[in-house]
Amino acid sequence: MSEFVNGLSDEAAALLAELRHPVRLPILLALEERPRSPTEMAEDLGEPFDRVNHAMRAMAAAGLIALVREEPAIAAPNLMRRIYAVRYQGWQRLVEALEAIADAPVDDAGAR
């Protein structure tokens, strides 16, 4: 194993593993702008509510996002609307770094 991989913390590896679902990074990017409920997030991303709600609950369980408040839902005041926010900042920088890597020339000579 390379020295870099050995130097990757368990926390960093866990964060990367949580991003494997395609809707999770867009959720984190949106939550960096402002806290949102799963309903708002689904509307903002144009994704089905169930998919977004499941992803946000999983990310909350993994510690990527946090429930910051609950309030009565507008359409159904007897139900509580959960508002989530990011726990870590810098997701846009991660996207920029990944884009720079993807745009870099490929070094086929280094592949073996």
Side-chain angles (χ1 to χ4, degrees):
M1 203 175 270
S2 76
E3 186 175 311
F4 173 76
V5 173
N6 286 335
L8 185 64
S9 71
D10 290 342
E11 293 82 10
L15 289 174
L16 288 173
E18 285 301 318
L19 298 179
R20 69 188 174 277
H21 192 282
V23 78
R24 291 183 182 180
L25 188 54
I27 288 171
L28 291 168
L29 292 169
L31 289 178
E32 272 193 327
E33 294 172 3
R34 67 178 172 80
R36 291 177 170 89
S37 71
T39 300
E40 289 175 291
M41 186 64 67
E43 291 171 3
D44 291 349
L45 296 179
E47 294 283 346
F49 170 79
D50 290 343
R51 183 179 197 191
V52 170
N53 188 50
H54 175 75
M56 291 178 80
R57 286 179 181 262
M59 290 191 302
L64 289 173
I65 64 175
L67 178 65
V68 291
R69 70 179 181 275
E70 290 184 321
E71 55 193 39
I74 297 167
N78 59 328
L79 296 177
M80 296 305 285
R81 180 176 152 212
R82 295 172 175 249
I83 309 297
Y84 292 93
V86 291
R87 292 192 60 223
Y88 304 96
Q89 296 290 322
W91 299 107
Q92 185 58 47
R93 289 191 310 274
L94 174 64
V95 169
E96 291 164 5
L98 291 172
E99 290 295 342
I101 292 168
D103 291 342
V106 176
D107 180 11
D108 289 329
R112 297 182 194 215

